[in-house]
Amino acid sequence: MNDSTSKLPDFSDQPPPKFNVTDRRHWALEEDAVEEEESRKERLPTYVEQLRQEAEEKDKRLKEYIAAYKNKNAENDEFRQRLQKENEGRLAQLKAGLFKQLIPIVDNLKRASSAAQSTGDFESFKQGIHLILSQFEHELTQQGIEPIPAVGRKLDPNTDEVCMTVDTEDPAQDGIVVEELEPGYRFQDKLLKPVKVKVAKLKN
């Protein structure tokens, strides 16, 4: 046996050496990056994920509210248009009913005028005008239009329009309507035309 061999050191009792191997293939690097990104996402704190979910939920609800608001506005517009058409239809019916009542009066007035021109009978014409006037006043009453009585009462600035005054020495007559110059009319509580009146004024 050679003596040089027996002099070699004994490494049997030492641990084996460690080696680091780096894989520089590009697809291996990409796979490592993807795995690292997924690992990072998995390591996100719980409250961050909760905030993200809440933000997404709020955004979803906001979009739902906007859509509901637009739908509601569309329904309101449609309702207003339908209501306007219905009101216009009712108004047209009321006008048609009123004109239907007035047309016979106009026809009678035309007949009276034609008869007066052809016969020259003024008395008959006067009687015809009187009848037509009565017919017209009746139709106004039927429609709820009433004349405003004025003579003999105190002046009412809400319904009366003073056109003339006359002096009086009686204090009790001061401000009293003594004559109706033009009639006034009202429909229910609405003034259609004021009464034009002559009013007594206390003489100084």
Side-chain angles (χ1 to χ4, degrees), residues 169-187:
E169 295 181 356
D170 185 359
Q173 291 295 313
D174 186 30
I176 298 297
V177 177
V178 296
E179 185 179 349
E180 181 183 293
L181 303 177
E182 284 187 18
Y185 299 92
R186 61 188 167 200
F187 175 71

Side-chain angles (χ1 to χ4, degrees), residues 41 43-55:
K41 290 182 178 180
R43 293 195 304 271
L44 281 176
T46 305
Y47 70 90
V48 174
E49 179 65 19
Q50 182 179 357
L51 289 176
R52 185 182 65 81
Q53 292 178 356
E54 290 179 356

Side-chain angles (χ1 to χ4, degrees), residues 191-202:
L191 179 66
L192 300 179
K193 179 178 178 291
V195 193
K196 294 185 177 182
V197 297
K198 181 191 291 186
V199 181
K201 184 178 179 182
L202 186 63

Side-chain angles (χ1 to χ4, degrees), residues 20-185:
N20 291 328
V21 178
T22 302
D23 191 349
R24 298 189 177 277
R25 293 172 297 177
H26 64 88
W27 60 84
L29 293 176
E30 292 176 357
E31 291 178 356
D32 291 343
V34 171
E35 291 178 358
E36 183 179 355
E37 178 66 18
E38 291 178 353
S39 176
R40 187 185 64 80
K41 290 182 178 180
E42 292 176 356
R43 293 195 304 271
L44 281 176
T46 305
Y47 70 90
V48 174
E49 179 65 19
Q50 182 179 357
L51 289 176
R52 185 182 65 81
Q53 292 178 356
E54 290 179 356
E56 292 178 353
E57 183 65 24
K58 289 180 180 179
D59 183 64
K60 180 181 178 182
R61 281 185 295 183
L62 178 61
K63 291 179 179 178
E64 292 175 353
Y65 292 153
I66 292 175
Y69 176 77
K70 290 181 178 179
N71 291 336
K72 190 65 176 178
N73 280 348
E75 291 176 0
N76 291 338
D77 292 340
E78 183 179 353
F79 174 75
R80 282 193 294 267
Q81 292 175 359
R82 185 170 65 252
L83 183 62
Q84 183 177 359
K85 289 181 179 179
E86 292 177 357
N87 289 337
E88 290 175 354
R90 293 194 193 99
L91 181 60
Q93 291 179 353
L94 291 175
K95 288 181 178 180
L98 176 60
F99 297 151
K100 183 179 180 181
Q101 300 298 325
L102 296 180
I103 286 175
I105 300 174
V106 176
D107 292 340
N108 289 337
L109 186 59
K110 288 181 179 180
R111 279 192 288 269
S113 176
S114 178
Q117 291 178 2
S118 60
T119 63
D121 188 352
F122 179 75
E123 187 63 27
S124 297
F125 177 73
K126 184 173 68 173
Q127 291 177 0
I129 292 297
H130 179 72
L131 291 174
I132 294 170
L133 181 60
S134 298
Q135 183 183 6
F136 186 75
E137 289 177 343
H138 174 73
E139 292 300 333
L140 290 179
T141 302
Q142 290 296 106
Q143 298 297 329
I145 300 174
E146 300 177 350
I148 302 173
V151 177
R153 62 167 174 76
K154 196 76 173 178
L155 176 69
D156 185 355
N158 295 318
T159 59
D160 304 342
E161 180 181 339
V162 179
C163 296
M164 296 180 63
T165 60
V166 58
D167 292 338
T168 179
E169 295 181 356
D170 185 359
Q173 291 295 313
D174 186 30
I176 298 297
V177 177
V178 296
E179 185 179 349
E180 181 183 293
L181 303 177
E182 284 187 18
Y185 299 92

